[in-house]
Amino acid sequence: MCGVYMFSVCLHGFSPDQIVVVTVATKETDGFKRFMRSAKHFNYTVKVLGRGQKWKGGDYLSPGGGQKVRILKAALESMKDENKIIVFIDSYDVIFASGPKELLKKFVQAKHKVVFSSETLIWPDRHLEDKHPHVREGNRFLGSGGFIGYLPNIKEMVAEWAGDDGDSDQLFFTKIFINPEKRKSINITLDSKCRLFQNLHGALDEVVLKFEDRRVRARNLLYDTLPVIIHGNGPTKLQLNYLGNYIPNVWTFETGCTVCHDDLLPLRNLKENEYPLVVIGVFIQQPTPFVTVFFERLLKLQYPKNRLKLFIFNKEPHHEREVSAFVQDHGSLYLDVKFVGPEEEIEDTAARTMAFDMCRKQKDCDYFFNLDVDVALKNENTLKILIEQNLPIVAPLLTRTGRLWSNFWGALSADGYYARAEDYVDLVQGRRVGIWNVPYITSVYLMKASLLRSELSDDDLFHSNFMDPDMAFCQHVRNKGVFMYVTNMDTFGRILSTENYQTSHLHNDLWQIFENPEDWRERYIHENYTHIMKGKPVETPCPDVYWFPVFTDIACNHLVEEMEHFGKWSGGGNVDTRIQGGYENVPTIDIHMNQVNFDKEWHQFLLEYIAPITEQMYPGYHTQCTSPLNFVVRYKPDEQPLLEPHHDASTFTINVALNSKDVDYQGGGCRFLRYDCSVEAPRKGWALMHPGRLTHYHEGLPTTAGVRYIAVSFVDP
């Protein structure tokens, strides 16, 4: 057997130009387009048969394919060059992993006139197993999805075809192969060790990706071969999609994604009225945190609003206030808004079908953008980015903070549920960046409207007796041969956790510091807080008193409104059954955080945002923010206008101003008597931090008008 360095000698008299790839494709599916891209990558000559014809040859779940043989037989009659080497392969589920030279070399080395792909499983007639020739090593059974041979020999082989379009091509070729006389006459053999063809069905455990220098191949571990043609036959389409994310050289460690900027649809030179028209479907199915923020982000999407139509489905009465406010305040900005509320008692599947129909039935609709309310879409250019990718269905990759949970699955289990793909973690964590063909997406995705009027025109895309609507939808999409992609080329946002979301409070988002910490921080922590952690000096209005921003205005408002909504303010007397011992030396009119079940969340706030400042201001001091008292104080001229001089029962104290002087009240402030130093105009959302015992004897200055609120914590180690 000749080595690679003797290639020209071994193949004397042969040329890769002799190879003609022949395939039957009645429709240009996404799989067919992928096949053609891989063929073009290696400069194969491809002859496509059957374009525009109606397919009558069945599907991979049942015997069929006779139509392919009939079409091939007719096409071969017009081919006269007997030196041509014909490669007849499927195209919807096939990719090339190498070029014509390697394919030709391996064919010549097989020393037969016709070489079929091989399989580990016999199909469709298991009774023919004993009639197959035994092989010393390798697969025994013929696979009809790929074969290569000289034109005269293939003509002789298919000349016998006289079946119907729905008859089995596999059975036809198998009967020729197991007939010793015909096998010898045509000179047929099998590619038993998968040197030319790799059929994935029955061999998934044998095939892995092999990353070479700036190149990716599929490697058969069992036979240590590198097949030239990869076929996702039978129920292995998804595994082929996975391999096709890398082969041929779609993504390598050296180059990253090599095709992500191909066939783009640029928007930058379009006038606003020339932008594609998009229907955005917004779905609220359950109580969800930060719905107000969701609509704020929707409003900020960088896309002409006169090219957007909104379909808003709200199943949850709890969110009627936020939805109504958005529609009332901003609905007129959009081309059209359709709202379906909880009073209509429409199920999720019906609502999603209605949204699709809003786009499907309007001829000017170009795209449908699905946007569930648990999506925190932070990238304002998301819609533009997805449209420019020019893909049938594409989702921005989103995850839940601190978890591997995302809005896509890289693989499916045998029963159609989640399975961990080999590259899933790398995709989620951004170690591999590109555009990925995946079997399942959810929550947020963009779809071409043309699909809704063609392959996905059915009105039951979300219906299944066994699956959730999103799983049913993706199954329908896969069954139609439409590819779904997820992109992590940009950072888009995250998915909210809706677990443990309570609706018993006025401002329930305040309680989300554990479940959705990033969203909580963005909503409630002052935008300048991080400057302190980056070295910006903290203001010191008095000795050892530190003053810094910590809360947003919204945080202050929500906390005040929550306490007033609760309404059970203390009487301001010394007797206080809420505290240990039942007696308060320096009483205030207040509500403790634990009275509104906010004590755990407040403690987490202290740990996350106060402890780091404490350790920075008081070097060598470390705290777990053990705090026996956390409360909101209310000062009113006719109720409790001031607080007498006192020491706090704490190692240090936090005092956060929850509203603004000269806006909400007059007077107020804090005076440290030992230093004769006052902070008379506390800034809303800013915290005063000072030692409690011994040194910082202080008083609350009189509030002369309005109502003043502060949040206080007595903190010990």
Side-chain angles (χ1 to χ4, degrees):
M1 186 172 290
C2 58
V4 174
Y5 67 93
M6 295 179 61
F7 179 79
S8 60
V9 176
C10 295
L11 298 183
H12 179 70
F14 295 95
S15 168
D17 293 338
Q18 293 175 255
I19 291 180
V20 177
V21 176
V22 179
T23 189
V24 173
T26 56
K27 293 174 59 178
E28 290 195 5
T29 65
D30 291 339
F32 174 78
K33 294 173 184 176
R34 175 183 59 193
F35 166 80
M36 293 300 290
R37 284 195 298 270
S38 71
K40 182 179 178 181
H41 179 81
F42 293 112
N43 295 315
Y44 280 98
T45 299
V46 180
K47 185 176 181 64
V48 181
L49 308 177
R51 289 182 191 267
Q53 296 186 23
K54 184 178 180 180
W55 178 250
K56 302 176 182 178
D59 57 39
Y60 74 88
L61 296 175
S62 59
Q67 186 174 355
K68 293 189 298 183
V69 186
R70 174 179 62 78
I71 293 174
L72 173 64
K73 178 181 177 181
L76 292 179
E77 291 175 358
S78 63
M79 299 177 68
K80 306 301 183 183
D81 187 349
E82 296 189 355
N83 290 320
K84 288 296 183 184
I85 298 173
I86 304 300
V87 181
F88 188 65
I89 49 178
D90 292 346
S91 54
Y92 296 162
D93 53 6
V94 168
I95 53 176
F96 288 99
S98 190
K101 288 185 179 180
E102 183 177 337
L103 181 63
L104 179 61
K105 172 191 169 187
K106 290 180 175 178
F107 170 60
V108 171
Q109 289 175 345
K111 298 180 180 179
H112 283 72
K113 300 296 185 180
V114 176
V115 179
F116 270 87
S117 67
S118 66
E119 297 194 40
T120 60
L121 307 172
I122 184 170
W123 189 82
D125 188 349
R126 288 182 294 175
H127 297 95
L128 300 178
E129 178 176 351
D130 292 340
K131 296 183 179 297
H132 282 73
H134 287 276
V135 296
R136 183 177 303 173
E137 183 181 12
N139 301 327
R140 285 180 62 198
F141 307 116
L142 176 144
S144 64
F147 56 83
I148 181 173
Y150 295 99
L151 177 60
N153 301 80
I154 292 181
K155 278 186 174 182
E156 179 184 350
M157 182 172 64
V158 301
E160 298 186 19
W161 175 260
D164 295 330
D165 285 354
D167 290 346
S168 172
D169 62 331
Q170 177 101 351
L171 187 59
F172 169 71
F173 290 123
T174 295
K175 287 182 175 179
I176 292 175
F177 177 68
I178 62 177
N179 184 314
E181 294 180 0
K182 293 180 179 179
R183 184 170 68 244
K184 183 178 180 181
S185 170
I186 301 171
N187 197 5
I188 304 175
T189 190
L190 299 186
D191 178 33
S192 295
K193 295 184 180 180
C194 306
R195 301 180 73 245
L196 292 84
F197 303 95
Q198 176 66 65
N199 288 313
L200 295 178
H201 189 33
L204 291 178
D205 293 338
E206 302 169 11
V207 181
V208 298
L209 288 170
K210 183 178 188 295
F211 291 92
E212 301 173 339
D213 183 24
R214 305 174 72 87
R215 188 176 183 185
V216 188
R217 298 290 298 266
R219 180 187 178 193
N220 186 301
L221 295 174
L222 186 61
Y223 306 119
D224 194 22
T225 54
L226 299 175
V228 177
I229 297 169
I230 316 299
H231 182 200
N233 59 319
T236 64
K237 315 301 180 191
L238 301 187
Q239 287 78 7
L240 182 75
N241 291 349
Y242 166 75
L243 296 175
N245 284 329
Y246 298 91
I247 301 169
N249 303 356
V250 174
W251 191 97
T252 72
F253 286 106
E254 294 81 9
T255 64
C257 181
T258 64
V259 300
C260 290
H261 299 288
D262 294 349
D263 302 321
L264 298 181
L265 181 68
L267 300 176
R268 60 182 177 274
N269 294 326
L270 297 181
K271 298 176 182 178
E272 281 198 358
N273 61 357
E274 296 174 335
Y275 271 64
L277 193 148
V278 182
V279 170
I280 300 180
V282 173
F283 298 92
I284 307 172
Q285 300 170 245
Q286 60 186 337
T288 304
F290 303 106
V291 169
T292 300
V293 181
F294 170 89
F295 282 112
E296 290 172 358
R297 291 184 174 129
L298 177 61
L299 193 64
K300 292 177 182 177
L301 268 184
Q302 294 300 300
Y303 201 88
K305 290 181 174 53
N306 63 352
R307 303 300 293 162
L308 295 176
K309 295 183 179 182
L310 301 184
F311 177 94
I312 302 175
F313 169 65
N314 177 29
K315 189 178 181 180
E316 180 50 55
H318 175 72
H319 291 306
E320 284 189 281
R321 178 171 54 88
E322 294 104 315
V323 176
S324 297
F326 173 78
V327 173
Q328 182 176 344
D329 295 343
H330 308 293
S332 61
L333 298 174
Y334 297 89
L335 191 59
D336 188 20
V337 177
K338 180 175 177 58
F339 172 57
V340 178
E343 70 282 354
E344 299 190 37
E345 298 183 346
I346 293 176
E347 290 301 315
D348 176 46
T349 54
R352 292 183 183 273
T353 300
M354 288 174 63
F356 275 7
D357 282 343
M358 183 173 173
C359 179
R360 179 187 284 131
K361 295 178 180 179
Q362 298 181 18
K363 294 181 179 180
D364 58 347
C365 179
D366 299 300
Y367 291 92
F368 180 84
F369 186 43
N370 187 93
L371 192 58
D372 289 0
V373 77
D374 60 352
V375 172
L377 204 60
K378 295 197 62 184
N379 190 329
E380 296 177 0
N381 292 306
T382 295
L383 185 52
K384 287 183 179 179
I385 291 170
L386 298 181
I387 289 175
E388 289 185 331
Q389 287 300 327
N390 198 24
L391 294 168
I393 302 177
V394 58
L397 194 155
L398 304 175
T399 64
R400 283 186 181 167
T401 301
R403 297 175 61 181
L404 291 174
W405 195 98
S406 74
N407 64 323
F408 82 98
W409 297 346
L412 298 181
S413 63
D415 54 0
Y417 287 83
Y418 171 82
R420 175 68 61 86
E422 292 180 18
D423 57 359
Y424 179 81
V425 175
D426 285 339
L427 268 55
V428 167
Q429 296 182 344
R431 290 195 291 267
R432 300 184 188 183
V433 174
I435 298 172
W436 313 93
N437 186 338
V438 296
Y440 169 88
I441 55 174
T442 189
S443 300
V444 53
Y445 54 85
L446 181 77
M447 175 169 50
K448 288 185 176 181
S450 57
L451 288 173
L452 292 173
R453 304 182 188 109
S454 54
E455 287 92 339
L456 303 180
S457 60
D458 297 342
D459 59 4
D460 62 348
L461 295 174
F462 296 97
H463 177 73
S464 171
N465 293 327
F466 310 103
M467 295 181 174
D468 292 338
D470 53 348
M471 295 174 62
F473 168 68
C474 291
Q475 184 182 58
H476 279 105
V477 172
R478 295 192 304 269
N479 290 344
K480 294 293 185 178
V482 177
F483 288 170
M484 295 173 284
Y485 296 88
V486 64
T487 172
N488 61 350
M489 295 282 286
D490 297 87
T491 300
F492 296 100
R494 54 186 170 267
I495 299 286
L496 297 179
S497 171
T498 57
E499 299 168 6
N500 305 317
Y501 185 62
Q502 303 297 318
T503 59
S504 56
H505 306 285
L506 179 66
H507 295 296
N508 298 282
D509 295 347
L510 278 170
W511 277 257
Q512 286 294 298
I513 191 170
F514 293 108
E515 295 293 337
N516 293 288
E518 285 296 310
D519 302 87
W520 195 94
R521 177 184 60 79
E522 291 175 1
R523 187 65 164 166
Y524 293 129
I525 296 301
H526 198 287
E527 62 181 356
N528 292 329
Y529 170 83
T530 55
H531 295 173
I532 305 166
M533 303 310 298
K534 295 177 182 177
K536 182 179 179 179
V538 174
E539 295 185 35
T540 53
C542 300
D544 283 327
V545 176
Y546 300 100
W547 201 16
F548 55 90
V550 64
F551 274 155
T552 61
D553 279 4
I554 292 174
C556 298
N557 296 343
H558 282 191
L559 197 52
V560 169
E561 291 166 10
E562 195 67 47
M563 294 304 178
E564 288 291 1
H565 179 70
F566 179 71
K568 297 179 181 179
W569 297 93
S570 66
N574 294 105
V575 176
D576 192 342
T577 57
R578 300 173 301 171
I579 62 176
Q580 188 175 1
Y583 187 86
E584 173 59 68
N585 288 319
V586 188
T588 55
I589 291 179
D590 56 47
I591 295 175
H592 289 190
M593 298 297 183
N594 60 11
Q595 288 181 261
V596 294
N597 296 317
F598 196 60
D599 46 332
K600 292 180 181 178
E601 288 76 11
W602 186 262
H603 180 248
Q604 184 68 14
F605 158 71
L606 295 176
L607 283 174
E608 288 285 328
Y609 299 103
I610 299 302
I613 305 295
T614 305
E615 294 172 6
Q616 186 173 320
M617 297 301 102
Y618 304 122
Y621 178 79
H622 301 284
T623 179
Q624 293 300 313
C625 290
T626 303
S627 179
L629 284 179
N630 303 298
F631 51 97
V632 172
V633 179
R634 182 174 74 183
Y635 291 111
K636 297 172 66 174
D638 59 350
E639 189 175 69
Q640 181 183 12
L642 54 81
L643 195 59
E644 298 293 338
H646 62 284
H647 280 295
D648 290 338
S650 65
T651 302
F652 69 91
T653 296
I654 296 297
N655 176 333
V656 184
L658 297 180
N659 56 352
S660 299
K661 184 175 181 178
D662 298 330
V663 176
D664 304 305
Y665 64 90
Q666 299 292 325
C670 183
R671 177 171 176 258
F672 297 92
L673 281 73
R674 181 175 180 177
Y675 307 106
D676 191 23
C677 179
S678 299
V679 181
E680 295 185 356
R683 301 164 188 160
K684 184 177 181 179
W686 284 54
L688 281 176
M689 181 170 67
H690 60 82
R693 299 180 180 93
L694 298 178
T695 59
H696 282 64
Y697 192 59
H698 60 285
E699 63 180 335
L701 299 175
T703 297
T704 58
V707 184
R708 178 187 176 213
Y709 298 92
I710 60 173
V712 179
S713 285
F714 294 162
V715 184
D716 288 315

